[in-house]
Amino acid sequence: MTKPRQGPLMAGEPVQLTDPKGRSHLITLRAGASFHTHRGSLSHDDIIGGPDGNVIKAAGGTPYVVFRPLLSDYTLAMKRGAAVVYPKDAAQIVAFADVFPGARVLEAGAGSGALSCWLLRAVGEQGTLVSFERRPDFAEIARRNVEQFFGGLPPAWQLVNGEFGPGMDPAQEGLADFDRVILDMLAPWDCVDAVASALAPGGLACCYVATTTQLSRTVEALRGHGGFGEPAAWENLVRGWHVEGLAVRPEHRMVGHTGFLVTARRLAPGVVPPPRRRRPAKGAYEDAATEARETGE
């Protein structure tokens, strides 16, 4: 189920149509259906049964390149409930959270299913992905998006319509010894205890947050828990380049800030992390800054 489709394009699968100006459209092939644009209609039957990478002309004569969408293309064009995790961030999560084939991964906040697709690709058929989504409408959108991309529900995937959060003991619910826990939610700092309970020693927690306030609270919660190594935090920016002969320049538009990523490794039970050698700057912590003002130091 997690292998890329090959062979002729079939009814029921998504394809991407790209016109000569680079504008793309994602459609699902249906026998007897048509795709309509201001340049004329294009029959789905002319695409079905043809090869991946074909060129089909619309009724008005405009040629369209037809490809099965890459996961990055599908992610940006899929139907959304919650905002999707952008491909640049999903790639960073898979790489820096070291999501490997056969891994057991817990995802909290399935949203529209974009990151679920990337994680399922990474864990493969021998892995496990358990995705929590507290909103039934988002869970249904995620299920349809994953099912459409893979051509069916991957056997490695378990979608739970419920909340992964504070007060929960994953170990008691059979959710223990996960290799990775990925959090995409508003308040991941509330779930640190649950994450620690779900992770195996040496496992990794990865949090995706949007604002600097969320970033600060998440990092400090992981530090304060005492069961994780020193967290790492970063963002990534992607800038495309225009290349036309000798006219080589950065694109005028770029994908800038979308979110921050935080990772931290789970320590073995009973192990205390060594004290940090790096001293925080004055005023880095509100209580310390207040005390300094009151004492005049």
Side-chain angles (χ1 to χ4, degrees):
M1 285 293 185
T2 56
K3 295 179 181 178
R5 303 182 195 184
Q6 296 178 334
L9 299 169
M10 305 297 292
E13 67 174 306
V15 296
Q16 182 174 262
L17 308 177
T18 306
D19 68 15
K21 290 188 176 181
R23 293 173 295 200
S24 296
H25 308 272
L26 186 72
I27 66 171
T28 300
L29 295 176
R30 306 291 182 195
S34 296
F35 171 69
H36 296 275
T37 74
H38 67 286
R39 296 181 180 276
S41 64
L42 192 154
S43 173
H44 289 206
D45 291 338
D46 291 340
I47 301 173
I48 295 172
D52 194 0
N54 203 4
V55 175
I56 301 295
K57 287 188 177 182
T62 300
Y64 285 85
V65 179
V66 183
F67 280 117
R68 286 188 175 96
L70 302 175
L71 182 49
S72 57
D73 301 322
Y74 183 77
T75 295
L76 296 176
M78 65 166 49
K79 181 178 179 181
R80 303 183 184 187
V84 301
V85 175
Y86 271 71
K88 73 181 184 71
D89 296 320
Q92 293 264 313
I93 290 171
V94 170
F96 286 91
D98 195 28
V99 182
F100 56 90
R104 298 185 72 241
V105 180
L106 188 151
E107 174 194 19
S112 299
L115 183 57
S116 301
C117 288
W118 290 91
L119 294 173
L120 284 164
R121 271 272 191 87
V123 302
E125 295 181 354
Q126 303 305 313
T128 299
L129 175 65
V130 179
S131 301
F132 281 80
E133 176 50 58
R134 64 184 182 86
R135 288 188 50 168
D137 52 338
F138 287 177
E140 178 58 23
I141 291 172
R143 185 193 64 79
R144 289 201 301 264
N145 282 333
V146 171
E147 187 174 24
Q148 183 184 37
F149 183 76
F150 289 108
L153 290 177
W157 192 41
Q158 179 184 349
L159 178 61
V160 180
N161 185 196
E163 186 170 8
F164 181 87
M168 179 182 185
D169 188 350
Q172 290 186 355
E173 300 184 28
L175 297 171
D177 293 325
F178 279 87
D179 299 299
R180 307 289 183 261
V181 173
I182 315 295
L183 302 183
D184 178 13
M185 55 174 61
L186 289 175
W189 51 87
D190 288 336
C191 303
V192 171
D193 286 338
V195 171
S197 178
L199 277 173
L204 182 142
C206 179
C207 304
Y208 181 64
V209 295
T211 70
T212 54
T213 303
Q214 290 173 306
L215 174 64
S216 176
R217 292 195 64 176
T218 301
V219 170
E220 294 304 328
L222 288 166
R223 283 182 181 145
H225 180 273
F228 292 89
E230 177 63 12
W234 73 98
E235 67 172 337
N236 69 98
L237 312 176
V238 175
R239 183 174 69 174
W241 279 72
H242 169 88
V243 180
E244 191 73 38
L246 297 178
V248 180
R249 56 169 174 76
E251 294 282 1
H252 295 307
R253 299 176 61 187
M254 67 176 289
V255 181
H257 174 77
T258 49
F260 299 103
L261 291 166
V262 180
T263 58
R265 301 288 299 276
R266 179 71 169 103
L267 298 173
V271 172
V272 178
R276 297 170 62 208
R277 297 181 65 88
R278 187 173 63 250
R279 296 183 61 184
K282 290 183 178 180
Y285 293 91
E286 185 177 356
D287 291 343
T290 302
E291 182 181 351
R293 287 196 299 270
E294 291 176 350
T295 61
E297 296 181 0

